[in-house]
DNA sequence: TTACTTTTGTGATATTATTCACAATATATA
DNA sequence: TATATATTGTGAATAATATCACAAAAGTAA
């Protein structure tokens, strides 16, 4: 089964579009509609589905509920995903208090910091000393961590997370982190995102003549 | 000149690596070193440079300062980029008070909201009523906006930004926004990023046998 | 039932991105 | 100076990804 990152990202987007379409009263959907919603071609949608043996009905399209179910299974969303955050600063606390992840079955169960002023042992989502991370992660069988510490601290945080058993990291520090074969590290680099946008806006302005 | 999004993103990453290498005392650099820093192949690095007619010295590599300069020119970073934020909630204010963008020549000059409690007319980076956005954007010749409003409000915010002259949008609301030919909309969808990570972690765990 | 229409599912094809591989050449060395 | 060596720059080859295009199936209508 050939899969790639972009294809998996599209599956997420299809799902999100499906929830929206469902809430609008749709029960069945065609590859065309989904394509419009996610801004890809309809053959892209069908090809993606075909990779995962998702099939619909010729002429009848796809049943939204079944489709959501199937995509969730593929994405591994059968059970609640527990996630920890390391670094409870501006960005870390925004993410920590964001409720939008829960509807996707993602729950932030704890956060960690080295600044004693941030500790909140008794909160619903506690903020704990970084030193307690390994034990917490092992006890609660956590696989995923979000890094929102300064760039200078990020690699050293990874070195603590790996032996603790973390298998996936979403890193917001603007630095390329090194994992190992047992751990997938994805980076969200907002500086890079903004620079990219600026480049294409400049191209746009130039080609359109202001 | 053929360019694509990934290539531009790599340029940003090269630049960021170059700053780091420079601060470590390096003056010249080889495609190999950059490749390591950004985790791509050295031929990828050279190919990217070749697309933009960036050339080094056979056997002598590239001079870091010149390289940074050239990349900045390509990325359109000759002058300070002024950016506005719409939606001063948890995420919006984290971004607004983040100082890391300034070292990249990106300055958040104002933010907008509809909640009167958020307004800060006198702050260094003011928070203004959304209604004032068109005038502010025109007067200050702003081209880039960051959207951090709830998904339900995001499209309507775009409709206000487009006629005001915004040419590039970085959208954090988990919804596919529609722009037009005059405006580039890039999405940062953290739900999708997390789901993607979860997928690949599951694959990893399965293939490695726990 | 039959004819007609719509939409899927997927090989074949086209496009795009990456890597290979090596001639050209700048630098270092003796 | 000549020789050896490392590194670039880039076409050609390969790999990855997306689109095309159409037969097959399923629904609709008469
Ligand atoms: N704030 C933003 O909007 C934004 C935007 C883009 C990127 N980032 C990146 O995200 C990261 C966090 O940014 P921020 O603005 O929230 O920073 P911040 O300074 O507000 O917060 C950083 C937090 O990390 C904690 N910390 C420091 N070292 C630690 C360690 N070794 N272990 C655990 N915790 C540690 C600090 O105590 C602090 O609470 C940075 O790498 C930044 O570059 C932030
Ligand atoms: N907080 C996070 O960590 C996080 C993570 C992922 C995605 N997001 C997305 O980012 C967006 C913002 O999230 P948040 O947690 O900061 O939300 P929030 O509720 O804390 O803030 C939203 C802000 O937008 C303002 N607003 C609402 N409608 C507006 C309008 N029409 N014009 C201008 N301002 C308006 C509100 O007054 C509020 O200040 C949401 O779309 C959310 O889904 C947030």
């Amino acid at each position: 089964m050939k899969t790639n990152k972009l294809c998996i990202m599209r599956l997420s987007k299809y799902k999100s579009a499906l929830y929206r379409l469902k809430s609008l009263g749709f029960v069945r959907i065609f590859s065309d509609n989904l394509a419009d919603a996610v801004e890809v071609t309809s053959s892209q949608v069908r090809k993606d589905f075909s990779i995962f043996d998702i099939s619909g009905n010729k002429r009848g399209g796809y049943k939204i509920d079944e489709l959501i179910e199937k995509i969730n299974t593929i994405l591994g969303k059968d059970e609640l995903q527990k996630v920890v955050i390391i670094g409870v600063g501006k960005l870390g606390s925004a993410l920590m208090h964001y409720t939008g992840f829960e509807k996707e079955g993602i729950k932030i169960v704890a956060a960690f910091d080295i600044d004693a002023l941030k500790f909140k042992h008794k909160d619903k989502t506690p903020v704990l000393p970084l030193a307690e991370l390994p034990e917490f992660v092992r006890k609660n069988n956590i696989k995923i961590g979000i890094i929102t510490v300064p760039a200078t601290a990020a690699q050293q945080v990874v070195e603590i997370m790996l032996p603790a058993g973390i298998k996936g990291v979403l890193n917001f520090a603007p630095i390329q982190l090194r994992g190992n074969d047992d751990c997938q590290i994805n980076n969200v680099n907002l500086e890079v995102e903004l620079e990219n946008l600026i480049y294409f806006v400049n191209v746009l302005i130039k080609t359109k003549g202001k």
Side-chain angles (χ1 to χ4, degrees), chain A residues 116-142:
Chain A
L117 292 173
K118 309 264 175 156
F119 300 160
K120 296 252 161 57
H121 292 270
K122 300 289 161 64
D123 275 22
K124 205 176 55 181
T125 308
V127 179
L128 307 171
L130 183 65
E132 294 179 17
L133 181 140
E135 195 192 337
F136 186 96
V137 161
R138 263 186 232 112
K139 266 205 184 134
N140 295 280
N141 194 33
I142 313 282

Side-chain angles (χ1 to χ4, degrees), chain A residues 22-81:
Chain A
K22 184 181 170 177
S23 78
L24 291 172
F26 287 83
V27 174
R28 299 164 151 278
I29 199 88
F30 302 124
S31 59
D32 236 15
N33 311 134
L34 261 183
D36 283 351
V38 177
E39 295 187 326
V40 297
T41 64
S42 63
S43 31
Q44 179 77 85
V45 173
R46 295 199 302 276
K47 181 67 89 179
D48 286 340
F49 287 178
S50 132
I51 288 168
F52 290 102
D53 292 315
I54 294 177
S55 57
N57 279 45
K58 304 214 173 185
R59 173 112 203 215
Y62 306 84
K63 283 202 202 145
I64 290 188
D65 281 332
E66 285 180 14
L67 205 42
I68 290 176
E69 177 93 6
K70 280 179 186 165
I71 294 177
N72 270 332
T73 302
I74 292 162
L75 294 178
K77 312 294 286 316
D78 307 304
E79 47 187 316
L80 190 76
Q81 273 291 338

Side-chain angles (χ1 to χ4, degrees), chain A residues 91 147-152 154 171-177 187-192:
Chain A
L91 187 55
I147 293 186
T148 47
V149 301
T152 46
N171 168 48
F172 286 85
I175 185 170
Q176 198 81 11
L177 296 183
N187 298 288
V188 176
N189 192 322
L190 299 182
E191 278 90 340
V192 167

Side-chain angles (χ1 to χ4, degrees), chain A residues 94-95 98 101:
Chain A
L95 293 171
Y98 180 55
F101 295 137

